[in-house]
Each structure stands twice: as structure tokens, then as C-alpha cells.
Amino acid sequence: EAQVTQNPRYLITVTGKKLTVTCSQNMNHEYMSWYRQDPGLGLRQIYYSMNVEVTDKGDVPEGYKVSRKEKRNFPLILESPSPNQTSLYFCASSALGYNQPQHFGDGTRLSIL
Amino acid sequence: QKEVEQNSGPLSVPEGAIASLNCTYSDRGSQSFFWYRQYSGKSPELIMFIYSNGDKEDGRFTAQLNKASQYVSLLIRDSQPSDSATYLCAVLLPSWGKFQFGAGTQVVVTP
């Protein structure tokens, strides 16, 4: 089954404790992206990648890191999480092309205390 | 000013009626436009996309794009209770790979 898998689905942690949210897709997609969703603000793009070893900033990259060492994986790293990073996070992937829809993972709900 | 704007709703629509959702965007060079549906607690799922001016129909859904007015809309005909969800407008910016989403319009279809 074609899917984007995120882990963990839920995480409660404390300020400053490094964490990684994994994202993996099995559709051989070149493009992957991370979003955060907050009430009233919709989805905001954090980082995206158009291929292995190629990453670019979205609208809200501060406080986040990503890497794309393999085509299928695109982890999101919070090196020193803060409470304002409490949010619902989605990973998405698509084929390259201006008319390609993104396939979203099920989301990761992060709470930073 | 938000770069992609949608009415937040809720938009209340009687069952069987037409729901009309609007989206405006600020970057005139934007290339493609997507409508996603998101049920509460779930991930967004694509309804349709459009990149040429005019109308595009898919079943009960019609997307309309007017690049001169920087406006894209979604019509849902014969609305069903299962259409009750939040609808997100997404815009692919000229720098390919960069997307902006509206905050979404909540649609409530009442039996």
C-alpha cells in the first residue's frame, strides 16, 4: 500500500530535549516536505526536499533541521525544542511536477512542556 | 496580510445544496492550485488541482481559477453530510517546491 509513515504519532517531551520525528515513503517520490498545523493558521511549510541531499527552507524553518540522505526518508529534527513548537506536524511526499498532489502522513502531535 | 486567504467559516450548507468555497492568493506568479479536504483529526487528502484558467470538473466537485483576479474556488454540488470537513486551499509558488496553504474553510452539511 502506498503510504507516508510518520513516527511517533504522539510525543510529550520537555524543553531542550532533542527529538527526531521520522518520515518514510514507499512511493519512490522525489519531493518530500514537512508542515506544522496550528489552529487558525493552517498548514505552514517548514522544510522541503526535491531530491537526495537537496533541502530548502519553507516559511517557518527556525528551530528545525532536516536531512535527506536516502530518497525514502526525511526526518525532522528539533535540537532544542521549545513550547512554541507544540503543534501537529505532517510529512508529505509527491512526484516532481507542478501538477503532482502531495500525499500526507497521519500526523505527529508534539507537546513541548 | 496572509498570502493565501480563505473564509474560515463555518459554512453551513443544507444537504443537496451547492457549497461554494473561495480562496485568494497574493503571489501572481503562482503555478498550481490544490484543494484538500481534512476531516477532524485526520491528514489532508487531495480533492482536485487546477493550473489553467477556467473550470475543471471532477464528479460533484468543480474548481475554478482566475489568475487575473488571483482567485480560485471550489464548488461542491449535491452536498452530503460526508462532505462536512475543513477544505484547504494550497498554492504552489513560483519557486518550485514551496507551498502555501490557506487556514481552511470549515463546511458543515446539515441533513
Side-chain angles (χ1 to χ4, degrees):
Chain A
E1 179 190 351
Q3 58 187 4
V4 178
T5 304
Q6 294 179 229
N7 279 297
R9 292 290 316 281
Y10 304 91
L11 179 63
I12 300 173
T13 188
V14 296
T15 299
K17 185 176 180 182
K18 181 179 177 180
L19 67 92
T20 299
V21 184
T22 63
C23 175
S24 181
Q25 50 94 5
N26 63 0
M27 295 168 278
N28 201 36
H29 285 161
E30 294 86 357
Y31 179 86
M32 297 186 75
S33 183
W34 275 103
Y35 298 89
R36 60 178 288 174
Q37 187 171 35
D38 302 288
L41 296 178
L43 285 161
R44 292 182 291 166
Q45 192 174 38
I46 304 171
Y47 272 96
Y48 62 96
S49 169
M50 287 200 276
N51 216 326
V52 174
E53 303 291 2
V54 178
T55 62
D56 282 292
K57 295 178 181 179
D59 282 338
V60 288
E62 297 77 19
Y64 304 95
K65 284 177 58 176
V66 293
S67 69
R68 188 94 182 271
K69 294 187 172 62
E70 303 166 285
K71 196 173 188 179
R72 64 182 291 126
N73 296 323
F74 191 44
L76 179 70
I77 303 155
L78 286 71
E79 295 219 323
S80 185
S82 63
N84 65 11
Q85 293 177 297
T86 292
S87 188
L88 177 60
Y89 291 84
F90 287 103
C91 180
S93 74
S94 76
L96 284 179
Y98 63 91
N99 61 350
Q100 297 299 313
Q102 294 181 77
H103 300 261
F104 286 83
D106 287 338
T108 295
R109 189 166 290 281
L110 281 183
S111 293
I112 316 293
L113 304 177
Chain B
Q1 181 189 357
K2 271 189 72 75
E3 284 132 326
V4 179
E5 298 218 35
Q6 298 180 249
N7 291 329
S8 60
L11 177 65
S12 185
V13 180
E15 185 173 355
I18 295 175
S20 178
L21 290 75
N22 303 320
C23 173
T24 59
Y25 60 94
S26 61
D27 195 322
R28 190 170 284 279
S30 298
Q31 301 184 50
S32 307
F33 308 86
F34 300 79
W35 284 100
Y36 288 87
R37 177 175 63 199
Q38 186 176 27
Y39 293 112
S40 181
K42 301 294 187 182
S43 58
E45 53 181 343
L46 181 77
I47 295 180
M48 59 192 308
F49 68 90
I50 186 167
Y51 52 86
S52 299
N53 277 327
D55 294 0
K56 180 180 179 184
E57 188 174 315
D58 185 358
R60 296 187 294 112
F61 300 96
T62 299
Q64 299 172 315
L65 175 61
N66 183 325
K67 288 188 177 180
S69 300
Q70 295 175 243
Y71 172 94
V72 58
S73 66
L74 180 71
L75 299 177
I76 307 173
R77 289 183 300 282
D78 188 24
S79 295
Q80 302 296 309
S82 60
D83 294 326
S84 297
T86 296
Y87 290 79
L88 305 172
C89 172
V91 176
L92 176 59
L93 299 182
S95 50
W96 199 94
K98 206 163 182 183
F99 282 88
Q100 286 180 337
F101 281 74
T105 297
Q106 184 186 5
V107 172
V108 178
V109 180
T110 54

